[in-house]
């Protein structure tokens, strides 16, 4: 893994993507006439930006809305409301949320997705040449021997042998399949990649190889990543900043170092306490915070702070008043009434390695 200082990014770099007040609601339909009886608020007033060349990670438990946010950005879903401002080269930012399919086409080439499951995301009946070359062919970028040359060079770039070009997905391991998925995402020279749980299905040693590959590609091609994961230990090594989501909302957003060493939201503290500590001397250090109760239902969230039924620090005010997302330091956001007063614990092992 690379040293943290190697991936620091200047604050002055302008955002490539800015998401403003994004909402995505899915109707709940019941009865013979499929009447709408409510809405699941999968993404609830989410705002963030990603700078050119930056990696922003979205982290949270299953169902917190992180994948839905990613899918809104690549416009698999049409958002209910909000803005997705994308800054194309030498153009003013354009709101992708408002574009129809025809007008979205040029931006679909610039914003690509890497999927979680390397086994199901590749069609087993297509060769690697067909899988990686599909977008080049459909967009009439290359054909014939030129297409083969391009696919071979993409395979080389992601660490696979070009001779594998006519093989089928079943002939590859999980890590190799994910490399094929990355080659497919790179085919049209994208600027922004949404990596949805891109390493979650892989063994730990293979995870590290894929994360290193993503970092190398970022340096080489000045790529910007929105990295979606449920595991904070994975994002620590690749992210410049981390946003923590809970029941459709961002509850904390900070630089990776700030978030790991000095969390300001109780939910972040609980997630950090669950990160496995690789050093056996640190395994018994710190107490794992076991949150009581279930994640709130996004179609019927609790009053006040959505986290209050599970929060060990909840007070009466939390049950009545929803905390606003506040910028309490430059580029440091949190949604908790008591963020300045709580003395929360960071991840000790990470804190030590960062001070080295
Ligand atoms: Fe906990 Fe209250 Fe802060 Fe919500 S606002 S995270 S319930 S202390």
């Amino acid at each position: 893994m690379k040293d943290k200082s190697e991936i620091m990014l200047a604050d002055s770099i302008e955002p490539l993507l800015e998401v403003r007040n994004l909402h995505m609601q899915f109707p709940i339909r019941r009865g013979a006439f499929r009447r709408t009886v409510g809405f699941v608020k999968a993404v609830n007033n989410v705002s963030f930006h990603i700078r050119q060349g930056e990696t922003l990670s979205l982290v949270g438990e299953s169902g917190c809305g992180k994948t839905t946010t990613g899918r809104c950005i690549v416009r698999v879903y049409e958002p209910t409301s909000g803005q997705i401002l994308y800054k194309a080269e030498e153009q003013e930012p354009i709101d992708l949320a408002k574009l129809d399919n025809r007008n979205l086409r040029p931006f679909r080439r610039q914003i690509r997705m890497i999927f979680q499951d390397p086994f199901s995301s590749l069609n087993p009946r297509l060769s690697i040449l067909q899988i990686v070359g599909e977008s080049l062919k459909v967009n009439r970028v290359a054909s014939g021997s030129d297409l083969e040359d391009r696919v071979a060079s993409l395979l080389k770039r992601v660490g696979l042998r070009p001779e594998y070009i006519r093989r089928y997905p079943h002939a590859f391991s999980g890590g190799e399949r994910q490399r094929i998925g990355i080659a497919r995402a790179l085919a049209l020279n994208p600027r922004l990649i949404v990596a949805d749980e891109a390493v979650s299905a892989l063994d730990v040693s293979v995870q590290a190889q894929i994360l290193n590959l993503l970092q190398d590609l970022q340096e080489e091609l000045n790529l910007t990543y929105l990295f979606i994961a449920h595991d904070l230990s994975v994002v620590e090594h690749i992210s410049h900043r981390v946003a923590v989501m809970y029941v459709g909302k961002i509850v904390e957003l900070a630089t990776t170092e700030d978030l790991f060493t000095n969390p300001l939201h109780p939910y972040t503290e609980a997630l950090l306490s669950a990160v496995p500590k690789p050093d056996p001397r640190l395994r018994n250090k710190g107490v794992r915070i076991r949150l009581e109760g279930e994640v709130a239902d996004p179609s019927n969230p609790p009053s006040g702070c959505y986290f209050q039924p599970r929060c060990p620090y909840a007070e009466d005010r939390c049950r009545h008043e929803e905390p606003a997302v506040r910028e309490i330091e430059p580029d440091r956001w949190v949604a908790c009434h008591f963020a300045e007063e709580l003395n929360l614990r960071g991840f000790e092992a990470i804190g030590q390695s960062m001070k080295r």
Side-chain angles (χ1 to χ4, degrees):
M1 291 288 174
K2 289 187 166 52
D3 185 78
K4 186 66 51 183
S5 59
E6 290 180 50
I7 57 167
M8 291 311 285
L9 203 76
D11 289 353
S12 55
I13 297 173
E14 64 179 322
L16 179 71
L17 184 87
E18 190 172 356
V19 172
R20 286 190 195 157
N21 309 108
L22 188 70
H23 290 260
M24 183 71 224
Q25 299 182 353
F26 296 99
I28 305 168
R29 295 203 165 93
R30 297 238 170 86
F33 298 104
R34 309 293 296 152
R35 281 218 188 96
T36 300
V37 294
F39 289 92
V40 175
K41 294 176 184 169
V43 178
N44 193 347
N45 203 18
V46 161
S47 300
F48 59 84
H49 66 268
I50 317 178
R51 300 181 189 100
Q52 173 86 50
E54 183 183 33
T55 300
L56 174 75
S57 289
L58 274 186
V59 179
E61 289 163 288
S62 297
C64 71
K66 55 194 189 302
T67 292
T68 307
T69 303
R71 290 185 181 185
C72 286
I73 290 167
V74 296
R75 281 297 310 273
V76 172
Y77 296 142
E78 186 173 344
T80 309
S81 64
Q83 291 181 301
I84 301 168
L85 301 170
Y86 174 72
K87 172 92 177 62
E89 262 164 2
E90 290 168 23
Q91 276 183 33
E92 287 303 305
I94 189 151
D95 187 1
L96 302 181
K98 294 201 169 51
L99 298 184
D100 58 23
N101 262 332
R102 199 169 63 87
N103 288 312
L104 269 172
R105 216 168 286 152
F107 302 105
R108 290 199 194 279
R109 295 172 63 155
Q110 298 176 33
I111 306 174
R112 309 295 290 178
M113 195 152 185
I114 301 170
F115 298 94
Q116 171 179 7
D117 189 348
F119 292 90
S120 62
S121 66
L122 305 179
N123 187 336
R125 292 178 196 185
L126 298 182
S127 69
I128 303 314
L129 172 61
Q130 290 168 306
I131 290 170
V132 177
E134 188 186 13
S135 57
L136 292 167
K137 211 168 161 183
V138 169
N139 286 282
R140 300 205 177 105
V141 175
S143 61
S145 60
D146 184 27
L147 181 74
E148 285 193 25
D149 290 347
R150 282 181 180 244
V151 172
S153 120
L154 283 162
L155 291 185
K156 239 167 128 181
R157 181 167 259 167
V158 299
L160 291 173
R161 293 166 67 162
E163 305 89 270
Y164 294 165
I165 203 165
R166 297 196 191 281
R167 291 191 184 175
Y168 287 80
H170 68 81
F172 297 91
S173 67
E176 287 171 332
R177 288 185 207 211
Q178 199 53 294
R179 287 176 193 266
I180 295 165
I182 295 170
R184 175 173 59 184
L186 291 178
L188 291 170
N189 299 324
R191 299 173 72 214
L192 173 65
I193 290 186
V194 177
D196 184 11
E197 302 271 14
V199 296
S200 305
L202 305 174
D203 293 341
V204 176
S205 60
V206 183
Q207 279 186 354
Q209 291 167 15
I210 298 295
L211 292 174
N212 275 335
L213 171 65
L214 289 171
Q215 276 183 278
D216 291 343
L217 291 169
Q218 182 169 54
E219 253 169 51
E220 202 182 314
L221 306 170
N222 196 23
L223 290 171
T224 305
Y225 294 135
L226 177 63
F227 194 86
I228 296 168
H230 63 272
D231 186 348
L232 267 174
S233 61
V234 167
V235 307
E236 192 267 331
H237 294 290
I238 194 167
S239 318
H240 297 91
R241 292 183 302 140
V242 180
V244 177
M245 285 189 78
Y246 187 75
V247 193
K249 290 170 178 280
I250 289 181
V251 294
E252 183 164 4
L253 197 162
T255 63
T256 310
E257 182 164 354
D258 283 347
L259 190 112
F260 273 74
T261 55
N262 179 28
L264 296 179
H265 195 281
Y267 182 57
T268 312
E269 183 191 42
L271 288 182
L272 286 171
S273 79
V275 172
K277 297 174 176 67
D279 184 341
R281 288 167 301 174
L282 295 163
R283 269 191 200 138
N284 297 324
K285 209 175 167 192
V287 181
R288 172 148 190 199
I289 300 166
R290 292 189 192 280
L291 295 173
E292 301 291 329
E294 296 293 318
V295 179
D297 176 356
S299 65
N300 184 24
S303 61
C305 174
Y306 285 10
F307 190 53
Q308 52 90 357
R310 307 174 81 195
C311 181
Y313 308 98
E315 294 192 17
D316 204 37
R317 181 183 175 193
C318 309
R319 288 178 255 284
H320 308 294
E321 194 184 324
E322 189 178 342
V325 184
R326 296 175 291 136
E327 188 174 22
I328 59 173
E329 287 166 26
D331 218 6
R332 177 119 216 229
W333 301 80
V334 64
C336 173
H337 294 309
F338 307 111
E340 291 91 339
E341 293 152 48
L342 297 174
N343 190 14
L344 304 179
R345 280 163 297 181
F347 182 56
E348 293 92 337
I350 305 266
Q352 288 182 8
S353 73
M354 279 177 172
K355 281 176 206 146
R356 266 206 299 269

